[in-house]
C-alpha cells in the first residue's frame, strides 16, 4: 500500500477535472483499508472516499487522505436452480460486473448496462435506469466505518434506498466506505422492458423474444445514442434529479405547457423529466467555451476539455435559476459538489 502526496485526481473523475489530493492511497483489500484507518499516523487526517468518480464535481483541491477502494472479486455466495447470490468487490467496474452477469445468464442488472462507476459507488446513490434500480437486486452492503475501521453489513432495509438516495448519502454521510455488495440475481429472469425506449429499440433490433443479452444490448444502444461517453467528453451522467412536484402544480403547469411530460409516483406527486424542463428553457446544446449542456440530453452538463469545476457549477446555477423562473420548479443536483 503506497501513500502518495500531491496526487492529481484528473483521471479519477469522469468530468476530467483537475483536483489535487494532499494524500492518496489505493486499497486492495478490507485488511488494507482497516490498517490505514487504524494507523495512528493517519487518524487525525480527514478522509475522502473516491470510487469511479462518476458522480462528483470537483471545484477545489482535496486537503485530505483520498482513499480509492480497489477491492476486486466476484464470488458466488449461494445458488440454486432459480437464484444466485453474488458478492462483488467495491472496486469492480460496474459495467464489467453487469457484463459478467449477462454472459453467465444471471438476470436483474441488464437494464443497468453501461452506467459509469464502480460497484461500491452504485448503492450510495441507488443507481437506476430504464425501469430498474440497484435496490431491486441488492441483498446487503458491506462497509467499513471510517472512525474505527469496523466492518458492518447493512441489509437492504438498513440502506434506506430512495430515488438516487441511500442512508450513505443522508444520516451516515461521510462515515462509511463500501467494500462489497451482495446481489440476488435470477437464473430465470423476469425482463423489465416496459420503458418506451427499450421497447422501441428491441423492435428496431427485430427481437420478438428478448433475452437478458438483448435487453443489455438495447440499453447500451440507447445510452450510446443519447449520453456522451466520459472517455471522450467529460460528464457525470444526469446532473440534476428529475423533480417531483404536487399533482396540483403539475395540472397548473399543463395548462400553460400542454406537452409537459409527467409520471405519477404517488396519489399526490408527479415526477417531471428535468431534461425536458431544461430543453424548454433553451439550454440544450448551449456551449460556453469548454463547457456546456449536452446536445442530445439536456440533463447532462459536459466538459469538452479544459473546463473548470467552478464554471460548471456556475452554469448549473444559471440552469436552475432559468428553469425556476419559467416553471416555478427548483432542480436539485444529483452530482455531488466537492
Ligand atoms: N427529455 C427532453 N429533452 C432532453 C432530455 C429528455 O425532452 O434533453 C425528455 C424525453 O423526451 C423523455 C423524458 O425527458 O420524455 C425522459 O428522458 P430520458 O428517457 O432520457 O430519461 P431522463 O428522465 O432524462 C433518467 C435518469 C437517467 C437514466 C434514464 C433512463 C435521472 C436523474 N436520470 O433520465 O439516469 O439513464 O432516466 O432510465 O433520473 C443518471 O442518473 O446519471 C442517468 C443517466
Amino acid at each position: 500500500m503506497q501513500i502518495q502526496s500531491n496526487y492529481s485526481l484528473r483521471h479519477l473523475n469522469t468530468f476530467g477535472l483537475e483536483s489535487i489530493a494532499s494524500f492518496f492511497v489505493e486499497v486492495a483489500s478490507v485488511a488494507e483499508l482497516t490498517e490505514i484507518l487504524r494507523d495512528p499516523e493517519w487518524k487525525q487526517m480527514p478522509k475522502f472516499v473516491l470510487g469511479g468518480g462518476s458522480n462528483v464535481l470537483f471545484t477545489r483541491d482535496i486537503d485530505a487522505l483520498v482513499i480509492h477502494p480497489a477491492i476486486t472479486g466476484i464470488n458466488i455466495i449461494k445458488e440454486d436452480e432459480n437464484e444466485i447470490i453474488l458478492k462483488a468487490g467495491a472496486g469492480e467496474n460496474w459495467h464489467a460486473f453487469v457484463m459478467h452477469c449477462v454472459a453467465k445468464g444471471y438476470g436483474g442488472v441488464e437494464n443497468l448496462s453501461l452506467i459509469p462507476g464502480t460497484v461500491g459507488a452504485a448503492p450510495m446513490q441507488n443507481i437506476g435506469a430504464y425501469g430498474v434500480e440497484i435496490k431491486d437486486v441488492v441483498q446487503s452492503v458491506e462497509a467499513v466505518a471510517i472512525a474505527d475501521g469496523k466492518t458492518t453489513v447493512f441489509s437492504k432495509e438498513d440502506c434506506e434506498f430512495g430515488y438516487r438516495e441511500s442512508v450513505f448519502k443522508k444520516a451516515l454521510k461521510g462515515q462509511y466506505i463500501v467494500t462489497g455488495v451482495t446481489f440476488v440475481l435470477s437464473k430465470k429472469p423476469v425482463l423489465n422492458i416496459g420503458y418506451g425506449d427499450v421497447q422501441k429499440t428491441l423492435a428496431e433490433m427485430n427481437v420478438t423474444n428478448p433475452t437478458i443479452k438483448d435487453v443489455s444490448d438495447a440499453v447500451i444502444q440507447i445510452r450510446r445514442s443519447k449520453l456522451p461517453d466520459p472517455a471522450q467528453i467529460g460528464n457525470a451522467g444526469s446532473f440534476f434529479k428529475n423533480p417531483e412536484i404536487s399533482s396540483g402544480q403539475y395540472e397548473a403547469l399543463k395548462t400553460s405547457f400542454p406537452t409537459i411530460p409527467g409520471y405519477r409516483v404517488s396519489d399526490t406527486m408527479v415526477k417531471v423529466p428535468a431534461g425536458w424542463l431544461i430543453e424548454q428553457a433553451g439550454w440544450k446544446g448551449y456551449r460556453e467555451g469548454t463547457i456546456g449542456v449536452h446536445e442530445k440530453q439536456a440533463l447532462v452538463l459536459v466538459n469538452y476539455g479544459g473546463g473548470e469545476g467552478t464554471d460548471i457549477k456556475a452554469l448549473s446555477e444559471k440552469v436552475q435559476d432559468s428553469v425556476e423562473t419559467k416553471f416555478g420548479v427548483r432542480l436539485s443536483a444529483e452530482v455531488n459538489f466537492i
Side-chain angles (χ1 to χ4, degrees), residues 3-225:
I3 297 180
Q4 290 167 274
S5 53
N6 293 322
Y7 188 87
S8 167
L9 302 174
R10 192 190 283 277
H11 67 291
L12 282 177
N13 70 100
T14 57
F15 260 122
L17 296 167
E18 184 58 295
S19 171
I20 307 292
S22 29
F23 298 98
F24 176 84
V25 66
E26 191 173 288
V27 291
S29 65
V30 175
E32 281 193 0
L33 177 59
T34 308
E35 186 189 324
I36 193 87
L37 292 172
R38 291 184 178 164
D39 186 331
E41 199 189 328
W42 296 100
K43 197 86 196 151
Q44 299 312 319
M45 171 69 68
K47 316 284 188 315
F48 179 91
V49 190
L50 185 61
S54 59
N55 208 37
V56 287
L57 181 80
F58 285 128
T59 60
R60 57 177 171 83
D61 291 338
I62 314 289
D63 188 15
L65 170 62
V66 172
I67 299 176
H68 179 59
I71 302 163
T72 53
I74 301 173
N75 297 304
I76 299 175
I77 304 296
K78 210 174 129 192
E79 67 180 311
D80 60 24
E81 69 271 28
N82 297 316
E83 271 183 2
I84 182 152
I85 300 181
L86 283 184
K87 183 177 174 192
E92 287 286 340
N93 173 275
W94 173 261
H95 180 64
F97 170 70
V98 172
M99 289 298 94
H100 172 89
C101 297
V102 169
K104 297 268 186 193
Y106 308 150
V109 285
E110 57 279 2
N111 293 43
L112 305 178
S113 298
L114 215 61
I115 295 183
T118 58
V119 164
M124 305 294 285
Q125 57 145 346
N126 182 24
I127 58 169
Y130 308 105
V132 173
E133 289 180 328
I134 192 181
K135 76 166 168 51
D136 304 330
V137 287
V138 164
Q139 184 185 62
S140 63
V141 173
E142 180 194 83
V144 169
I146 293 177
D148 59 9
K150 203 169 150 265
T151 299
T152 301
V153 176
F154 293 81
S155 70
K156 181 202 278 229
E157 289 70 32
D158 295 337
C159 293
E160 295 175 20
F161 289 124
Y163 169 53
R164 298 294 191 275
E165 286 294 353
S166 77
V167 75
F168 304 107
K169 274 181 82 177
K170 293 187 149 177
L172 300 181
K173 191 177 162 84
Q175 294 183 38
Y176 281 89
I177 300 178
V178 172
T179 49
V181 181
T182 303
F183 299 90
V184 186
L185 300 171
S186 175
K187 290 187 181 172
K188 295 177 180 159
V190 179
L191 299 180
N192 208 315
I193 51 172
Y195 203 94
D197 273 354
V198 175
Q199 276 178 8
K200 200 171 123 233
T201 307
L202 285 169
E204 282 163 12
M205 288 160 59
N206 289 320
V207 174
T208 43
N209 201 0
T211 61
I212 59 170
K213 171 83 168 56
D214 294 325
V215 175
S216 170
D217 287 347
V219 166
I220 290 172
Q221 200 171 309
I222 300 165
R223 292 189 74 97
R224 288 211 171 116
S225 72

Side-chain angles (χ1 to χ4, degrees), residues 278-289:
I278 298 168
E279 179 174 347
Q280 297 300 310
W283 291 101
K284 197 170 186 172
Y286 171 85
R287 187 162 175 168
E288 202 176 276

Side-chain angles (χ1 to χ4, degrees), residues 128-130 163-164 195 223 226 237-238 240-242 263 273 275-276 279 284 297-299 334:
Y130 308 105
Y163 169 53
R164 298 294 191 275
Y195 203 94
R223 292 189 74 97
K226 281 191 178 178
S238 300
F240 301 100
K241 292 193 210 182
N242 287 333
Y263 316 97
W276 188 90
E279 179 174 347
K284 197 170 186 172
Q297 166 52 293
L299 194 46
E334 189 205 278

Side-chain angles (χ1 to χ4, degrees), residues 248-268:
Q249 186 178 7
Y250 180 70
E251 290 311 322
L253 279 171
K254 217 165 166 67
T255 325
S256 317
F257 306 98
T259 58
I260 187 170
Y263 316 97
R264 186 159 284 289
V265 288
S266 71
D267 288 349
T268 54

